[in-house]
Amino acid sequence: MKKQISTKNAPQAIGPYSQAISANGFLFISGQLGVTPGGEFAGSNVEAQAQQSLTNLQNILAEAGLSFDNVVKTTIFLADMADFAKVNVTYAKFFKEPYPARSTVAVKTLPKDALVEIDVIAAQ
């Protein structure tokens, strides 16, 4: 059984998907761009966009009664792998040990020409 999780404190889905789905003891949160709930980019640099992406994830987690402490896996999508270290600095402000498992990949493009997108899986 699955349950949709949604909050107005994160951007609404721009396609046929949910902000998050709760199923079998896990919360699967769709990739979040560095876009405010109003639909504007938080800034033109990767640090500002990563900060907003993580804030969006935090708000969706909170809607489900969870926090970053519940996150077991993250995936970071970067438009430019040269931004890896910059995103790590911002990422480290949101997570503490034991850190979740993580993958980071460079992609050709992201929706809306974003610089970063992050998704997470959390244990409930």
Side-chain angles (χ1 to χ4, degrees), residues 20-44:
I21 293 291
S22 172
N24 299 323
F26 290 95
L27 182 68
F28 301 87
I29 302 180
S30 294
Q32 294 296 304
L33 302 176
V35 176
T36 67
E40 303 294 324
F41 277 108
S44 60

Side-chain angles (χ1 to χ4, degrees), residues 9 19 32-33 56 58 67 76 86 90 102:
N9 295 323
Q19 282 180 340
Q32 294 296 304
L33 302 176
N56 293 339
Q58 186 173 45
S67 72
I76 300 175
K86 294 175 188 174
T90 303
R102 183 176 108 179

Side-chain angles (χ1 to χ4, degrees), residues 6-109:
S6 182
T7 178
K8 293 182 185 206
N9 295 323
Q12 298 306 298
I14 57 173
Y17 61 91
S18 300
Q19 282 180 340
I21 293 291
S22 172
N24 299 323
F26 290 95
L27 182 68
F28 301 87
I29 302 180
S30 294
Q32 294 296 304
L33 302 176
V35 176
T36 67
E40 303 294 324
F41 277 108
S44 60
N45 62 54
V46 73
E47 295 93 342
Q49 289 187 24
Q51 175 85 26
Q52 185 63 49
S53 173
L54 289 158
T55 299
N56 293 339
L57 291 164
Q58 186 173 45
N59 291 338
I60 296 167
L61 285 162
E63 184 68 23
L66 304 175
S67 72
F68 281 114
D69 290 341
N70 298 92
V71 174
V72 296
K73 174 72 169 81
T74 66
T75 306
I76 300 175
F77 303 92
L78 295 173
D80 185 347
M81 194 55 83
D83 289 331
F84 183 86
K86 294 175 188 174
V87 171
N88 265 347
V89 170
T90 303
Y91 182 93
K93 295 175 185 176
F94 288 82
F95 291 96
K96 61 185 180 188
E97 292 190 41
Y99 299 113
R102 183 176 108 179
S103 301
T104 304
V105 296
V107 296
K108 184 174 179 182
T109 57

